[in-house]
């Protein structure tokens, strides 16, 4: 890359010529406040928080979009700059619903942080304020435009990254709002509930539908036997809410906290993931051997499933019929486990803690029940779990490391990596390859499907057959790959799709990381590293070698793909309208 | 707030015309605005059904099209009534009380500016100065102009068109 010489605040720098002023300043540890900018997601230059003086330019310039050039001199911290930023912020605040105390983003809000950092001590402008109804119809996402600063980070996440495109700026001037066409609720448009808008939002304008009250009510109900399961990605996100370094696994403390909160059974969705591999692996082998519909596409990600139903209804037969791991596990808890423990399944209440808000929608799908019993009764996000732990007066950091409960005490490493893009594929390959080759392998790391790239491809020779796989994360990438498959430009045997870029570790239900932190780190890679480390540390790393799973089949399910498996663990899909 | 509107009753001919317009602009950059203009000429307004056809045809998200339609004032989401009432809110008319006249019309018809009555008879628009300041306050019904109005004149004017 060609380098250019510039000066920022008198400091001489040599930076790549494709840098913006913001990136150049960052490389010299000079902080410029931002609001509408979110690395890799949104770059609109609209909020005017990052304005700087460029010597020779007539007006203040937005550092996030202004490219560097040879000989450029920039001043980021003059009184003129500070005054202008503050006025811009005060104008934003004049039309903001300033109820910080009761806001979901209290103490994790970029607007609040800017007010502090830019020294706003008073609400200077008391003009007219827009008032909007809160959209809380969706089972997953709540939109409160009273807290919107019109930065459009959610629009970029929805439209550019995910190509779901159900929100955009509407109207103009003071009446501008981010909304769905014809002001419909998010529940009435083809929103897939991925929640990438939530984790992109700098304020409390977008949040998950809060289900913590119903979980507390179940725990408090002496008649109910309340069990909880936690998804793989939760363990590498939850710690951030308690001051741990990003990506630190807190599996043992999480199990300890759940037990102290009053859950009667504390389980790991990784066991459900192992079960998924048994069923999905078997389904793939059957499709491969018997000329079934290929490519087979994974079905663990409910955001992806709804996206497929709206936009690629011609691919519904390609989707694996497997329910997602927590739904499978819920069904097993209410049958096999209830029977084993002598519990009336009607009194059992299954809570799933997920890095995902689409799981809230998924658990309410009509087909997710067996014999009138819902597989899962409530879904809460990683963020909601953190809130509940805080409400419980538990000093999380001081907890001992504890294990999950029997009879599902320890899942395999394959189940752990389900939370990162490529993890489901790798877990499936560990099992499928051994079944097809009919022998055990020591080398378990499939490097080709690891990493945070949005689209990865690999060809493996399995029992003499070349098996072509693709791993996709982010729905924009999924759209691209499926269009290529549809047109015949690409063909695969097996595709893993996760709706969120990076997979579940960066799902819409995970702790929200400030945009200034996201400028310096690769959040996806850091959280995924925590999962791969846990996988490497486990004694059992293949789903089919998980002893609890073996017992589950021998005692209850018979074999993967059995009649009972189909009744409990498989599902079907529904074509949904494009608009 | 949900605006009152009429059920969509586009014809097959209108749909064919729109499809031809879409086909003509399909691979062109910035096709949305010219197509919306033509669509509004064909249908008189841009209801959801029309916007969906444009979204599908041009492969542009509906949310983006809706954003454009609501940004520009010349695009309308609602049909015009058989009798389209324009109330001038230019300076002279406004000073002479056209705001009260507009309020009275809204009260009698039970609709807001930009809406159409359920029977399709009346719609209301708040216009800028129409150049008849000498007659302020002024309203128009299609091509008819009524000037030097007082609030009590409104009921009679509406009645006249109801009985036509």
């Amino acid at each position: 890359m060609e380098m250019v010489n510039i000066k920022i605040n008198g400091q001489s720098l040599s930076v790549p010529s494709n840098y913006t002023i913001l990136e150049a300043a960052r490389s010299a540890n000079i902080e410029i406040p931002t609001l509408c900018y979110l690395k890799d997601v949104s770059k609109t230059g609209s909020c005017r928080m990052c304005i700087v003086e460029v010597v020779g330019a007539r007006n203040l310039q937005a550092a996030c979009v202004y490219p560097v050039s040879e000989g450029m001199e920039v001043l980021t911290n003059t009184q003129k700059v500070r005054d202008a930023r503050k006025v811009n912020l005060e104008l934003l605040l004049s039309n903001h619903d300033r109820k910080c105390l009761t806001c979901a983003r209290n103490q994790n809000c970029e607007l609040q942080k800017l007010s502090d950092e830019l020294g706003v001590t008073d609400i200077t402008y008391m003009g007219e304020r827009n008032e909007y109804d809160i959209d809380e119809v969706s089972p997953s996402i709540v939109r409160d435009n009273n807290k919107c600063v019109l930065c459009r980070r959610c629009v970029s996440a929805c439209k550019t990254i995910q190509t779901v495109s159900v929100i955009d700026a509407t109207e103009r001037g003071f009446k501008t709002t981010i909304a769905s066409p014809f002001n419909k609720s998010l529940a009435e448009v083809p929103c897939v509930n991925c929640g990438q808008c939530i984790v992109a939002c700098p304020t409390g304008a977008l949040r998950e539908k809060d289900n913590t009250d119903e979980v507390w009510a179940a725990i408090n109900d002496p008649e109910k036997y309340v069990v909880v399961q936690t998804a793989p990605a939760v363990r590498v996100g939850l710690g951030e809410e308690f001051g741990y370094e990003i990506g630190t696994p807190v599996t043992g403390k999480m199990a300890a906290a759940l037990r102290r909160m009053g859950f009667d059974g504390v389980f790991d969705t990784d066991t459900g993931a192992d079960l998924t591999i048994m069923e999905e692996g078997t389904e793939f082998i059957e499709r491969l051997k018997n000329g079934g519909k290929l490519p087979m596409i994974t079905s663990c990600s409910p955001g992806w499933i709804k996206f497929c139903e709206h936009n690629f209804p011609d691919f519904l037969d390609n989707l694996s019929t497997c329910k997602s791991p927590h739904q499978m596990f819920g069904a097993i808890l209410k049958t096999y486990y209830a029977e084993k423990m002598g519990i009336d399944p009607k009194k059992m209440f299954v809570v799933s803690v997920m890095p995902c808000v689409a799981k809230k929608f998924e658990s309410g799908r009509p087909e997710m029940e067996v014999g009138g019993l819902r597989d899962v009764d409530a879904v809460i996000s990683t963020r909601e779990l953190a809130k509940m732990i805080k409400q419980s007066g538990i000093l999380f950091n001081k907890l001992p490391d504890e294990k999950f409960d029997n009879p599902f005490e320890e899942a395999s490493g394959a189940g752990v990596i389900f939370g990162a893009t490529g993890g489901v594929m790798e877990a499936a390959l560990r099992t499928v390859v051994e079944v097809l080759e009919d022998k055990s392998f020591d080398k378990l790391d499939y490097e080709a499907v690891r990493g945070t790239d949005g689209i990865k491809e690999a060809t493996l020779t399995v029992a003499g057959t070349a098996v072509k796989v693709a791993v996709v994360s982010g729905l924009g990438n999924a759209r691209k790959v499926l269009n290529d498959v549809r047109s015949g430009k690409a063909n695969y045997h097996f595709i893993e799709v996760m709706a969120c870029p990076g997979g579940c570790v960066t799902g819409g239900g995970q702790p929200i990381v400030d945009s200034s932190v996201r400028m310096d780190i690769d959040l996806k890679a850091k959280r995924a590293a925590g999962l791969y480390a846990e996988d490497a540390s486990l004694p059992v790393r293949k789903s089919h070698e998980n002893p609890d799973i073996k017992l589950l089949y021998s005692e209850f399910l018979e074999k993967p793909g059995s009649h009972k498996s189909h009744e409990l663990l498989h599902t079907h899909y529904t074509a949904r309208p494009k608009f | 707030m949900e605006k009152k509107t009429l059920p969509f009753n586009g014809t097959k001919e209108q749909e064919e015309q729109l499809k031809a317009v879409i086909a003509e602009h399909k691979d062109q950059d910035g096709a949305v605005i010219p197509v919306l203009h033509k669509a509004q000429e064909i249908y008189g307004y841009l209801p959801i059904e029309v916007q969906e056809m444009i979204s599908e045809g041009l492969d542009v998200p509906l949310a983006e099209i809706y954003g454009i339609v609501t940004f520009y004032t010349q695009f309308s989401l609602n049909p015009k009534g058989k009798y389209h009432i324009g109330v001038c809110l230019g300076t002279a008319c406004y000073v002479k009380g056209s705001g009260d006249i507009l309020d009275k019309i809204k009260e009698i018809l039970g609709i807001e500016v930009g809406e159409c009555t359920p029977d399709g008879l009346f719609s209301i628009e708040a216009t800028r100065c129409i150049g008849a300041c000498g007659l302020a306050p002024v309203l128009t019904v299609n091509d008819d102009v009524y000037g030097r109005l007082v609030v009590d004149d409104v009921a009679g004017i509406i009645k006249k068109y109801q009985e036509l």
Side-chain angles (χ1 to χ4, degrees):
Chain A
M1 175 58 66
E2 192 196 331
M3 303 295 275
V4 294
N5 299 298
I6 64 165
K7 262 189 189 172
I8 304 184
N9 302 344
Q11 185 183 342
S12 295
L13 300 171
S14 178
V15 295
S17 59
N18 65 349
Y19 267 29
T20 59
I21 294 175
L22 180 69
E23 288 164 328
R26 200 83 195 166
S27 72
N29 296 321
I30 294 166
E31 170 93 356
I32 296 174
T34 57
L35 185 61
C36 69
Y37 175 81
L38 183 59
K39 191 183 159 198
D40 300 333
V41 177
S42 180
K43 200 174 171 178
T44 53
S46 64
C47 77
R48 317 313 282 181
M49 275 308 118
C50 67
I51 44 176
V52 294
E53 279 189 62
V54 176
V55 175
R58 205 154 48 102
N59 298 319
L60 297 174
Q61 301 296 333
C64 70
V65 289
Y66 203 94
V68 294
S69 59
E70 182 60 35
M72 175 185 273
E73 275 186 62
V74 180
L75 299 166
T76 71
N77 193 25
T78 61
Q79 193 60 44
K80 184 181 174 188
V81 164
R82 283 194 298 270
D83 288 347
R85 285 177 187 160
K86 196 170 164 189
V87 167
N88 288 345
L89 180 59
E90 285 171 339
L91 287 167
L92 277 177
L93 292 174
S94 76
N95 191 26
H96 186 77
D97 177 44
R98 300 176 296 270
K99 292 183 186 141
C100 297
L101 283 179
T102 51
C103 182
R105 293 290 294 276
N106 189 16
Q107 301 184 66
N108 182 20
C109 169
E110 293 183 28
L111 195 64
Q112 207 178 39
K113 186 169 152 250
L114 281 174
S115 300
D116 176 44
E117 289 176 354
L118 270 54
V120 175
T121 51
D122 203 3
I123 298 303
T124 333
Y125 304 107
M126 299 287 267
E128 195 184 338
R129 260 205 52 217
N130 284 314
E131 287 195 34
Y132 299 102
D133 292 339
I134 299 174
D135 174 16
E136 42 193 351
V137 185
S138 155
S140 299
I141 301 172
V142 177
R143 173 156 211 118
D144 179 357
N145 274 341
N146 299 297
K147 289 176 177 163
C148 176
V149 290
L150 299 172
C151 69
R152 292 156 171 80
R153 276 158 55 166
C154 58
V155 175
S156 288
C158 186
K159 185 166 153 180
T160 316
I161 308 288
Q162 298 293 61
T163 67
V164 170
S165 307
V166 292
I167 47 172
D168 215 321
T170 68
E171 302 287 343
R172 72 197 293 181
F174 188 65
K175 284 173 73 187
T176 306
T177 48
I178 307 301
S180 296
F182 293 83
N183 281 324
K184 287 184 186 177
S185 159
L186 284 171
E188 301 166 322
V189 294
C191 168
V192 304
N193 308 303
C194 69
Q196 284 299 305
C197 54
I198 299 177
V199 289
C201 182
T203 73
L206 286 154
R207 59 177 191 263
E208 70 275 343
K209 183 64 144 302
D210 189 318
N211 295 104
T212 57
D213 280 349
E214 57 192 273
V215 175
W216 280 127
I219 290 175
N220 295 337
D221 184 345
E223 286 292 299
K224 287 209 168 103
Y225 189 88
V226 188
V227 295
V228 65
Q229 53 168 323
T230 58
V234 177
R235 71 205 60 204
V236 291
L238 184 65
E240 293 163 31
E241 298 275 359
F242 298 95
Y244 287 86
E245 168 80 9
I246 288 171
T248 310
V250 291
T251 321
K253 288 187 169 38
M254 176 176 70
L258 291 166
R259 207 162 274 132
R260 281 154 185 73
M261 283 163 65
F263 287 104
D264 300 305
V266 178
F267 299 109
D268 192 350
T269 309
D270 295 10
T271 302
D274 280 335
L275 189 55
T276 303
I277 288 303
M278 299 306 290
E279 294 295 324
E280 196 165 310
T282 305
E283 183 185 1
F284 177 63
I285 292 168
E286 271 170 17
R287 288 194 193 203
L288 196 63
K289 281 184 171 167
N290 306 330
K293 187 93 171 169
L294 293 173
M296 189 173 96
I297 313 178
T298 58
S299 56
C300 302
S301 167
W304 149 244
I305 291 297
K306 191 159 183 270
F307 182 80
C308 188
E309 291 175 325
H310 284 294
N311 299 289
F312 293 93
D314 48 328
F315 277 85
L316 295 186
D317 290 340
N318 294 76
L319 295 173
S320 161
T321 60
C322 288
K323 287 181 184 172
S324 74
H326 85 116
Q327 295 290 154
M328 278 198 182
F329 198 31
I332 290 297
L333 288 169
K334 287 202 177 173
T335 52
Y336 172 71
Y337 172 75
E339 202 179 301
K340 220 176 167 80
M341 303 292 287
I343 304 159
D344 177 359
K346 288 193 196 69
K347 291 184 177 165
M348 191 184 278
F349 191 89
V350 176
V351 178
S352 297
V353 184
M354 296 283 129
C356 179
V357 293
K359 296 277 178 197
K360 291 173 187 274
F361 169 84
E362 180 193 40
S363 72
R365 290 177 69 119
E367 57 275 18
M368 293 298 166
E369 66 172 37
V370 182
L373 290 174
R374 303 300 301 167
D375 296 342
V376 170
D377 299 285
V379 173
I380 55 170
S381 65
T382 310
R383 297 187 293 267
E384 288 168 275
L385 174 60
K387 281 181 192 171
M388 292 181 78
I389 294 172
K390 288 172 188 168
Q391 287 163 18
S392 308
I394 292 169
L395 293 176
F396 187 82
N397 311 50
K398 302 235 165 106
L399 287 171
D401 287 333
E402 292 182 1
K403 288 195 167 295
F404 292 104
D405 283 328
N406 268 320
F408 306 108
E409 197 174 276
E410 192 159 276
S412 80
V416 178
I417 58 173
F418 253 63
T421 172
V424 174
M425 181 59 72
E426 181 165 344
L429 291 174
R430 287 181 190 175
T431 290
V432 167
V433 171
E434 294 202 356
V435 171
L436 287 175
E437 299 254 354
D438 198 20
K439 58 182 173 194
S440 180
F441 290 89
D442 292 333
K443 174 150 173 37
L444 297 177
D445 297 347
Y446 289 84
E447 300 291 348
V449 296
R450 290 192 183 183
T452 56
D453 290 348
I455 301 173
K456 293 166 278 187
E457 290 180 335
T459 306
L460 302 115
T461 309
V462 186
T465 313
V467 175
K468 210 170 165 200
V469 303
V471 171
V472 186
S473 77
L475 292 171
N477 292 324
R479 184 186 291 278
K480 197 162 167 280
V481 166
L482 258 69
N483 278 334
D484 285 351
V485 171
R486 196 189 253 164
S487 71
K489 210 172 126 192
N491 62 74
Y492 307 98
H493 295 97
F494 196 5
I495 307 175
E496 174 205 290
V497 181
M498 294 192 189
C500 294
C504 315
V505 286
T506 32
Q510 287 284 68
I512 297 168
V513 178
D514 191 280
S515 63
S516 69
V517 176
R518 283 173 72 168
M519 254 185 260
D520 296 331
I521 60 160
D522 183 351
L523 187 61
K524 304 170 202 158
K526 264 194 113 151
R527 286 188 180 149
L531 293 184
Y532 286 108
E534 186 158 310
D535 163 41
S537 75
L538 287 171
V540 176
R541 296 182 61 203
K542 303 169 202 167
S543 299
H544 59 284
E545 290 180 358
N546 175 344
D548 302 334
I549 291 289
K550 284 186 189 170
L551 195 66
L552 172 64
Y553 277 106
S554 70
E555 286 187 350
F556 186 65
L557 290 171
E558 279 176 68
K559 61 180 175 92
S562 69
H563 181 71
K564 194 149 211 163
S565 290
H566 271 278
E567 193 184 304
L568 293 173
L569 310 178
H570 290 254
T571 187
H572 58 271
Y573 307 102
T574 317
R576 296 175 196 265
K578 188 175 171 187
F579 295 109
Chain B
M1 198 183 66
E2 199 64 29
K3 286 201 169 184
K4 291 185 194 74
T5 190
L6 295 178
F8 179 63
N9 53 12
T11 62
K12 202 83 207 142
E13 289 72 34
Q14 287 173 317
E15 194 177 326
E16 291 308 317
Q17 284 177 49
L18 179 60
K19 279 186 174 156
V21 170
I22 291 170
E24 185 191 329
H25 291 81
K26 188 156 177 40
D27 296 315
Q28 174 184 319
D29 278 344
V32 177
I33 289 179
V35 170
L36 285 172
H37 273 297
K38 293 265 176 60
Q40 184 154 296
E41 277 172 29
I42 296 166
Y43 289 94
Y45 70 121
L46 297 166
I48 190 165
E49 293 81 0
V50 172
Q51 291 187 40
E52 283 179 1
M53 283 189 261
I54 296 170
S55 168
E56 181 85 49
L58 294 178
D59 198 20
V60 172
L62 181 64
E64 186 173 323
I65 290 174
Y66 179 76
I68 294 169
V69 169
T70 54
F71 184 88
Y72 292 106
T73 48
Q74 75 261 41
F75 293 130
S76 173
L77 292 174
N78 288 285
K80 285 197 168 94
K82 186 174 174 198
Y83 304 110
H84 184 61
I85 304 174
V87 180
C88 179
L89 292 187
T91 310
C93 287
Y94 192 78
V95 172
K96 287 275 200 176
S98 64
D100 296 335
I101 294 192
L102 178 59
D103 287 344
K104 190 71 191 174
I105 298 170
K106 292 199 289 195
E107 183 197 315
I108 294 173
L109 296 178
I111 55 170
E112 290 296 315
V113 169
E115 292 181 350
C116 184
T117 53
D119 58 9
L121 217 49
F122 293 100
S123 54
I124 322 174
E125 183 188 356
T127 73
R128 294 180 183 190
C129 180
I130 59 169
C133 308
L135 299 175
V138 171
L139 70 76
T140 56
V141 181
N142 294 350
D143 292 332
D144 305 336
V145 180
Y146 298 85
R148 300 209 174 94
L149 296 167
V150 291
V151 170
D152 289 343
D153 295 335
V154 171
I157 295 170
I158 291 172
K159 195 151 186 271
K160 179 179 152 193
Y161 289 93
Q162 277 166 337
E163 287 167 357
L164 273 184

